[in-house]
Amino acid sequence: MIIQSMATSGYDLFVDGIYYNILSETEKTLTVTNGDMEWGPTDYMGDVVIPATVDYEGETWQVVALDGAVFWDHQMLNSIVINAEIKTIPDRTFYMCTDLHTISLPNSVDSIGDRNFYQTKNLSNMILPERLAHVGAYLFEESAIKQIKIPEAMTIIPEGMFFYCEELESIEIPNSVRSIGAEAFHDCKSLRSINFPNQLESIGVNAFNESGLEVADIPNSVVFIDEMAFGTNPNLVSVHLPEALTQMSFGVFSGCTGLTSMTI
């Protein structure tokens, strides 16, 4: 075990390759941080494990948080396992970790911030925690994710969640989801089919614009479809619209040159 205390640096402790700041002396809690104040991209490389506890000067400290953007642009980070019982992954934590292949999050996580996995070009699969209820916008933007299961705790697929995920082929969406946000599946060109949840109520602007969908069997629970939701999708050949639909905005199927069947 390597232990350093760096009172004059941008961090308080350095233990086994991980940098920490002290959150509470009384409660003995730590947050994972960077190794310098410039947020340098080389302090975490290869395979990283964040422990649940840290032993320091004869006392056990709990790891309870991650600093914002702590792994931003760490392009030599290959894998990460977080064993700490944290609840929140802050915005842009793994932003542009282009060589990140695998990530393991604890089931304690219930919130993941904006653009966390932007341009994770080698992250093709991951398991989202069962308790995850909130995710920020453009979570997997331009990532290599191929398949994923949305947890039942989620009720909204937010804006741009899979924006430009050209390799996304399969997604499982639970019936708890009521809304699909704007640009959620924009440019998901490998996504040929999707099982819409049976309690879905709304589909946002450009939600499936330029995607690879071939069939859109929209459930009867949907009452609103926003502009260009399925636009510019030449692969789309068949659409079923729900009887309960009360508003369909401009150009929902504009540019769908292969569309040959539409039923209500």
Side-chain angles (χ1 to χ4, degrees):
M1 177 179 290
I2 299 173
I3 299 177
Q4 287 180 263
S5 179
M6 304 293 291
T8 59
S9 71
Y11 56 94
D12 297 323
L13 303 176
F14 178 64
V15 182
D16 291 341
I18 310 296
Y19 300 89
Y20 302 97
N21 278 329
I22 295 172
L23 289 178
S24 171
E25 291 271 6
T26 303
E27 297 180 359
K28 298 291 184 293
T29 54
L30 302 172
T31 181
V32 177
T33 191
N34 269 105
D36 58 65
M37 296 302 289
E38 299 300 323
W39 299 94
T42 60
D43 45 0
Y44 294 110
M45 297 183 290
D47 303 319
V48 172
V49 178
I50 306 297
T53 61
V54 173
D55 292 328
Y56 176 67
E57 292 187 345
E59 296 181 310
T60 299
W61 295 69
Q62 301 290 322
V63 181
V64 298
L66 304 177
D67 277 356
V70 64
F71 301 111
W72 175 302
D73 199 28
H74 283 63
Q75 297 187 20
M76 289 181 281
L77 180 65
N78 302 131
S79 71
I80 185 162
V81 176
I82 302 177
N83 291 321
E85 293 294 300
I86 61 175
K87 291 187 176 182
T88 300
I89 307 293
D91 292 352
R92 295 169 171 80
T93 296
F94 303 101
Y95 190 94
M96 290 187 67
C97 290
T98 54
D99 203 38
L100 184 64
H101 288 73
T102 61
I103 179 169
S104 177
L105 300 178
N107 279 328
S108 55
V109 172
D110 59 20
S111 177
I112 301 178
D114 294 351
R115 285 188 162 93
N116 247 282
F117 305 105
Y118 174 73
Q119 287 196 357
T120 49
K121 296 295 188 180
N122 285 285
L123 187 67
S124 61
N125 188 19
M126 73 173 292
I127 298 174
L128 296 175
E130 292 180 2
R131 296 182 184 178
L132 183 65
H134 171 79
V135 299
Y138 295 91
L139 185 67
F140 288 99
E141 180 182 359
E142 295 185 34
S143 78
I145 203 77
K146 288 185 176 181
Q147 56 185 16
I148 199 159
K149 179 181 178 180
I150 302 298
E152 292 187 4
M154 287 181 57
T155 59
I156 296 173
I157 293 180
E159 179 181 359
M161 185 171 179
F162 299 99
F163 182 82
Y164 225 100
C165 291
E166 293 188 300
E167 297 182 45
L168 181 66
E169 298 174 350
S170 174
I171 182 167
E172 185 175 336
I173 305 176
N175 289 328
S176 57
V177 170
R178 302 294 183 92
S179 174
I180 295 176
E183 297 188 324
F185 297 94
H186 194 298
D187 268 292
C188 291
K189 297 187 185 302
S190 298
L191 188 65
R192 300 299 183 186
S193 64
I194 190 168
N195 290 323
F196 290 99
N198 61 23
Q199 296 186 67
L200 185 67
E201 297 174 355
S202 65
I203 301 173
V205 174
N206 292 320
F208 294 92
N209 192 286
E210 298 189 54
S211 73
L213 281 187
E214 297 174 348
V215 176
D217 189 3
I218 302 169
N220 288 328
S221 54
V222 172
V223 296
F224 175 59
I225 305 175
D226 214 335
E227 294 180 16
M228 296 292 291
F230 296 90
T232 323
N233 188 349
N235 294 313
L236 188 64
V237 296
S238 176
V239 172
H240 171 75
L241 294 175
E243 293 182 4
L245 187 65
T246 58
Q247 184 177 352
M248 188 167 69
S249 297
F250 171 80
V252 168
F253 300 104
S254 176
C256 296
T257 54
L259 185 60
T260 58
S261 174
M262 183 178 291
T263 61
I264 299 177

